[in-house]
Amino acid sequence: MFFKSWIFIEFLKLRFTRILFRNHSASLQHYRWRKFQSVLKKSPFYRPFILNDSSLVNLPIIDKKIFMSNFDKINTIGIELSEALRIATRAENERDFAPMIDGITVGLSSGTIGNRGVFLASKKERVQWVACILDRVVGFSFKRRKVAFFLRANSNLYSSVQSKLLMFQFFDLLEPLEVLLEKVQKYQPDILVGQPSLLIEIARKKEIGKLTISPKKIISVAEVLTPEDRDFIQRIFQQTIHQVYQCTEGLLATTCKNGVLHFNEDYLIIEKQYLDQSKTRFHPIITDLKRSSQPIVRYELNDIIHEKKTCSCGSKFLAIDSIEGRSDDILVFNSIDGAQVKIFPDFFRKAIILADQRIIDYTVVQISTKKLSVFVGNNKELEDKCLISINQLLEKFRVESIEIEFVKEKLHEKATKLRRIRNESK
Ligand SMILES: [Zn+2]
């Protein structure tokens, strides 16, 4: 079947089931879970569980480490980790964006060496991904639209939906910012897709009149979009900023018309691993009922999610109030009594932005349990205010005295994901 017609059929199926089961996602999940058993029976890892009992709760909760150490047994197509790693690493070094083994795409997740995930996707899974992006992110229209995609690496997935109605242009984040801005000015996109740190740069240039693009839709991807970054981009472009919450494990959540992220619960089962007593933060444990080459079952992500109880759009899919960052970025100190103190990134974000409303660009990096490196715009007055604010926060948590160093440049390596608050002490 032609790739594009296949995408269109999957798009219709997705949209149809979403509308049909709009208020009955539990029954859709139940139906899909039963069908999913046949996939799990092909996985040497999951087969024994399914033969004994077919309830989801009896399957083990796994994380990235367990997933990777059981790679050979989890996937249903007999691909070994060593082979997948060899192909994916070689492709990345050669900037080949479509490495394959027997028609299966192999992808590497970002992360430190030795901690990278390897992910597999069959042609059918790629088609379903594109269909979902069309249904929930780009939207269907009979008008001709140009999409500007700012990414670290191109993917033939995007160009696969290239048509007379939808044109895609890939902008390589490894190029200098000035060159990218010049190109996007010339291209005049209708839809702008990029990570928030780049959208901020674009918004700043538009604010001072150095860029005159007027996209009708802006989609933030890859990094956490903080409320203040979102408000700034919204103010400059005068529109709701949309988001895609996606990782190599799957397309997890997309925004509704209100700009609120909702998990795609028509094909995902989301369980919550709460992180605090007040149950405000949780790690999502995901089961993707659409995967077939490499089942994702009860896979705990280390993203810290804040739940939104209701959304006026009417969708019953679980809504996200904010994504705080990752649990790896919880800052860890010693208390004055010698105990360990853990502080969620959001406390630092608030301490910084509430110190002075002029602070919109900042980074806080924990170097060790006794040292923080902070950037707030290379301005002595703002630094003094932040120092007071951070010290008040540390005092509240009874943290022993630490060194707080202010640096002149943002701690962000070009073309990598910006994490404003992060722990690099490990
Ligand atoms: Zn909504």
Side-chain angles (χ1 to χ4, degrees):
M1 198 186 305
F2 288 113
F3 205 62
K4 273 182 198 155
S5 340
W6 194 1
I7 290 169
F8 191 62
I9 289 167
E10 286 298 328
F11 167 83
L12 291 177
K13 273 161 78 179
L14 252 177
R15 186 157 281 197
F16 181 67
T17 47
R18 184 162 60 106
I19 294 167
L20 194 67
F21 290 91
R22 187 173 162 81
N23 295 315
H24 310 282
S25 55
S27 50
L28 181 59
Q29 283 177 358
H30 183 69
Y31 166 74
R32 287 195 161 143
W33 168 250
R34 288 175 70 92
K35 269 183 78 179
F36 193 54
Q37 314 282 305
S38 59
V39 170
L40 294 183
K41 282 180 187 156
K42 289 185 208 152
S43 157
F45 183 85
Y46 286 113
R47 195 183 304 126
F49 295 102
I50 288 300
L51 292 179
N52 291 329
D53 186 343
S54 61
S55 325
L56 178 67
V57 288
N58 292 330
L59 269 60
I61 294 177
I62 62 167
D63 58 14
K64 188 174 181 179
K65 201 165 159 230
I66 301 172
F67 185 78
M68 289 307 293
S69 56
N70 290 283
F71 183 95
D72 299 0
K73 284 166 81 182
I74 288 179
N75 80 74
T76 59
I77 39 186
I79 292 180
E80 289 182 4
L81 178 62
S82 52
E83 171 74 348
L85 261 176
R86 192 179 60 76
I87 302 260
T89 315
R90 192 185 65 197
E92 193 170 75
N93 292 338
E94 292 169 3
R95 286 179 76 69
D96 161 14
F97 302 120
M100 288 216 191
I101 307 175
D102 302 332
I104 300 289
T105 305
V106 186
L108 271 180
S109 71
S110 56
T112 49
I113 295 166
N115 186 31
R116 302 184 73 176
V118 180
F119 289 87
L120 307 173
S122 67
K123 195 165 184 180
K124 185 177 179 189
E125 288 165 322
R126 297 200 303 277
V127 165
Q128 285 171 338
W129 181 88
V130 175
C132 198
I133 288 283
L134 276 180
D135 180 36
R136 292 168 203 190
V137 184
V138 176
F140 185 77
S141 167
F142 284 109
K143 274 192 199 143
R144 190 167 174 266
R145 293 175 300 166
K146 289 192 280 184
V147 185
F149 252 105
F150 287 85
L151 294 166
R152 278 172 301 156
N154 195 1
S155 164
N156 58 347
L157 278 180
Y158 308 117
S159 39
S160 64
V161 272
Q162 179 99 351
S163 68
K164 280 194 185 110
L165 289 178
L166 211 52
M167 291 165 63
F168 283 84
Q169 169 110 26
F170 163 63
F171 294 80
D172 189 342
L173 284 174
L174 288 174
E175 285 199 63
L177 185 64
E178 286 66 34
V179 176
L180 290 176
L181 294 177
E182 214 172 280
K183 282 186 182 172
V184 78
Q185 171 72 30
K186 211 176 272 176
Y187 187 59
Q188 290 291 325
D190 301 295
I191 300 174
L192 184 63
V193 187
Q195 55 201 62
S197 51
L198 176 103
L199 297 176
I200 287 275
E201 296 294 341
I202 291 179
R204 283 214 188 98
K205 289 284 187 272
K206 186 172 164 74
E207 190 181 28
I208 56 170
K210 286 268 161 77
L211 200 66
T212 53
I213 59 168
S214 303
K216 291 174 189 68
K217 191 165 195 176
I218 299 178
I219 302 159
S220 161
V221 294
E223 293 168 357
V224 169
L225 178 68
T226 60
E228 48 285 358
D229 285 351
R230 183 194 58 209
D231 293 347
F232 176 68
I233 305 165
Q234 278 186 176
R235 182 169 63 78
I236 300 299
F237 284 97
Q238 294 288 302
Q239 61 185 287
T240 301
I241 305 301
H242 289 274
Q243 291 183 67
V244 175
Y245 173 27
Q246 170 175 259
C247 48
T248 19
E249 292 85 356
L251 180 55
L252 305 180
T254 46
T255 41
C256 63
K257 61 178 184 196
N258 296 340
V260 173
L261 277 167
H262 290 266
F263 279 106
N264 290 317
E265 285 190 287
D266 49 344
Y267 60 85
L268 292 177
I269 295 175
I270 307 292
E271 297 171 87
K272 300 170 202 165
Q273 178 73 53
Y274 284 106
L275 304 175
D276 48 8
Q277 282 187 337
S278 57
K279 293 193 171 180
T280 48
R281 299 171 164 87
F282 68 88
H283 279 171
I285 301 172
I286 55 171
T287 298
D288 189 333
L289 304 170
K290 284 257 184 194
R291 297 279 311 210
S292 54
S293 61
Q294 193 183 29
I296 304 279
V297 180
R298 304 197 89 196
Y299 185 111
E300 182 171 344
L301 295 168
N302 70 359
D303 293 331
I304 306 167
I305 307 290
H306 289 240
E307 182 176 344
K308 189 175 173 69
K309 294 293 177 194
T310 53
C311 179
S312 61
C313 74
S315 169
K316 296 279 187 290
F317 290 175
L318 182 64
I320 298 172
D321 192 46
S322 64
I323 303 170
E324 186 173 340
R326 307 190 316 210
S327 278
D328 305 344
D329 289 326
I330 294 174
L331 287 81
V332 185
F333 303 94
N334 294 322
S335 78
I336 43 177
D337 316 315
Q340 194 183 58
V341 184
K342 291 185 173 180
I343 307 182
F344 284 105
D346 219 29
F347 286 101
F348 279 89
R349 181 183 70 82
K350 285 185 182 143
I352 300 274
I353 59 158
L354 294 177
D356 191 296
Q357 60 176 4
R358 286 173 290 172
I359 304 173
I360 49 166
D361 200 9
Y362 61 89
T363 46
V364 177
V365 179
Q366 180 166 26
I367 308 294
S368 71
T369 48
K370 293 182 187 304
K371 187 174 177 183
L372 283 182
S373 195
V374 181
F375 167 81
V376 286
N378 195 18
N379 174 319
K380 183 75 172 72
E381 188 198 341
L382 297 182
E383 288 174 356
D384 289 346
K385 283 186 168 178
C386 273
L387 186 63
I388 295 169
S389 189
I390 292 174
N391 275 326
Q392 280 171 347
L393 172 70
L394 295 172
E395 226 168 83
K396 208 171 111 193
F397 280 89
R398 296 168 55 79
V399 172
E400 64 170 3
S401 138
I402 62 159
E403 183 193 346
I404 299 171
E405 163 201 54
F406 284 92
V407 291
K408 299 197 184 313
E409 277 184 38
K410 189 161 57 180
L411 298 151
H412 178 214
E413 202 180 312
K414 186 176 156 49
T416 61
K417 285 186 188 181
L418 171 65
R419 282 148 49 221
R420 293 201 184 275
I421 317 278
R422 59 186 197 267
N423 184 345
E424 289 189 353
S425 68
K426 287 155 234 167

